[in-house]
Amino acid sequence: MKLIQLSDIHLTAPGATIGGRDPRRNFERALAHVLRDHHDAELMVITGDLSDWGDRDDYLWLRTTLDAFPIPTRLCIGNHDRRDVFLGVFPEYDDGGFVQGMHDVSAGRCLFLDTVEPNTHAGRYCDARQVWLQRQLTGHPGPFLLFMHHHPMPTHLGPMDRIGLSDGAAFRSIVGAHRNRIRHVFFGHCHLPLAGSIGGVPTSSLRGTNHASFPLFSETAMLSASDLPQSYGVCFVGADYVTVHMVEFGYDGPIRVEGSPEYTAWDRETMVR
């Protein structure tokens, strides 16, 4: 099966920009790119920071846009979102006062987690949410795909890790206890392509659809920013594998089609190098 991950779309008022980029326009560009190349995707998930300031108008615009989008879509919230405002527009996501839920696809069951803690950019997965996750993981045979906003493991980028998942060790312990039935964990928040594992389960992230970060290990106080291309993710889930791509739809340079995969076509004299 194929699924799409978008993250950190940071919607703003029409015409407003972040880092010189228009989040609404870039989100629309991402959707058009997805439909052009991946209209057959079974599900699209947006892993948080839906609105840059948690404005109701952003959520209303997002609801209208997604209602007209032909691929089924599920949402997580991030540290820039306001849970109460979001639920006022998307009440179907309310589960025990949190934005969490599940959706079955042909590859298994997707779980959507709420890692938001009010008044901080850091994430939290409190006792109540841990109980919810344990109940989901023990009450269904799986396999599972998990989606969340905050990074569940250290990035070793000092400023970024100060706004990571504050109770990450407890979360990783839950995931590790069910590692045989969790295929992959997808997250956002960092605006970076990242891969690793938690509790023995592979995890990955990507750049968002608007502004980008950079892994600047020499910076110890401030978060970094760059003009790297905007992106979304494409994931293929097979019976015995998971493949994840980051598609840089914001790249506007040339893309060359050259170099045959046939070994016999590799000729030192005639190949373009």
Side-chain angles (χ1 to χ4, degrees):
M1 72 153 285
K2 179 195 291 187
L3 64 85
I4 304 297
Q5 181 192 9
L6 275 67
S7 196
D8 298 274
I9 63 177
H10 286 270
L11 297 176
T12 56
T17 62
I18 301 174
R21 296 177 173 182
D22 185 333
R24 287 200 185 198
R25 173 60 184 141
N26 281 319
F27 180 63
E28 291 174 326
R29 290 175 62 209
L31 295 183
H33 203 281
V34 167
L35 283 186
R36 189 193 75 184
D37 290 356
H38 305 292
H39 60 275
D40 58 338
E42 194 170 331
L43 181 68
M44 183 172 78
V45 182
I46 308 178
T47 49
D49 279 358
L50 309 173
S51 169
D52 197 46
W53 293 101
D55 292 338
R56 179 178 172 82
D57 285 349
D58 293 336
Y59 298 130
L60 289 170
W61 183 86
L62 179 62
R63 167 129 240 171
T64 298
T65 301
L66 293 180
D67 282 349
F69 193 65
I71 299 173
T73 303
R74 292 299 303 260
L75 307 173
C76 299
I77 58 170
N79 51 292
H80 280 255
D81 294 303
R82 291 174 56 192
R83 187 185 287 118
D84 58 338
V85 180
F86 172 84
L87 289 175
V89 178
F90 293 92
E92 67 273 24
Y93 283 87
D94 190 340
D95 186 318
F98 295 108
V99 178
Q100 55 192 7
M102 63 184 183
H103 181 90
D104 289 334
V105 293
S106 59
R109 173 160 288 186
C110 299
L111 298 180
F112 310 101
L113 314 185
D114 183 337
T115 60
V116 171
E117 180 71 4
N119 303 315
T120 177
H121 287 301
R124 187 178 180 218
Y125 209 66
C126 63
D127 290 347
R129 283 172 276 190
Q130 290 179 34
V131 168
W132 180 88
L133 180 57
Q134 290 274 27
R135 186 167 64 246
Q136 302 303 318
L137 293 173
T138 57
H140 187 272
F144 296 96
L145 300 169
L146 272 54
F147 297 85
M148 60 196 296
H149 182 67
H150 289 84
H151 51 291
M153 75 288 198
T155 65
H156 295 273
L157 295 163
M160 185 63 69
D161 285 341
R162 287 200 288 276
I163 58 172
L165 194 63
S166 59
D167 38 14
F171 178 78
R172 293 191 295 271
S173 177
I174 295 172
V175 170
H178 299 274
R179 65 171 62 90
N180 292 335
R181 294 182 298 119
I182 302 175
R183 302 289 304 279
H184 202 88
V185 179
F186 300 87
F187 64 94
H189 188 47
C190 301
H191 299 212
L192 290 168
L194 286 165
S197 65
I198 56 171
V201 176
T203 186
S204 64
S205 189
L206 72 171
R207 270 186 236 122
T209 60
N210 194 65
H211 45 299
S213 297
F214 189 89
L216 190 64
F217 288 90
S218 59
E219 175 57 52
T220 60
M222 303 293 287
L223 298 168
S224 66
S226 74
D227 293 323
L228 288 165
Q230 305 93 325
S231 81
Y232 64 85
V234 181
C235 176
F236 299 86
V237 182
D240 60 352
Y241 70 89
V242 174
T243 302
V244 180
H245 291 269
M246 187 178 75
V247 179
E248 295 175 305
F249 73 91
Y251 171 71
D252 58 6
I255 299 175
R256 295 176 293 276
V257 180
E258 62 184 32
S260 170
E262 297 297 329
Y263 183 78
T264 54
W266 285 62
D267 185 292
R268 192 183 188 111
E269 304 301 324
T270 61
M271 279 192 67
V272 177
R273 304 300 287 163

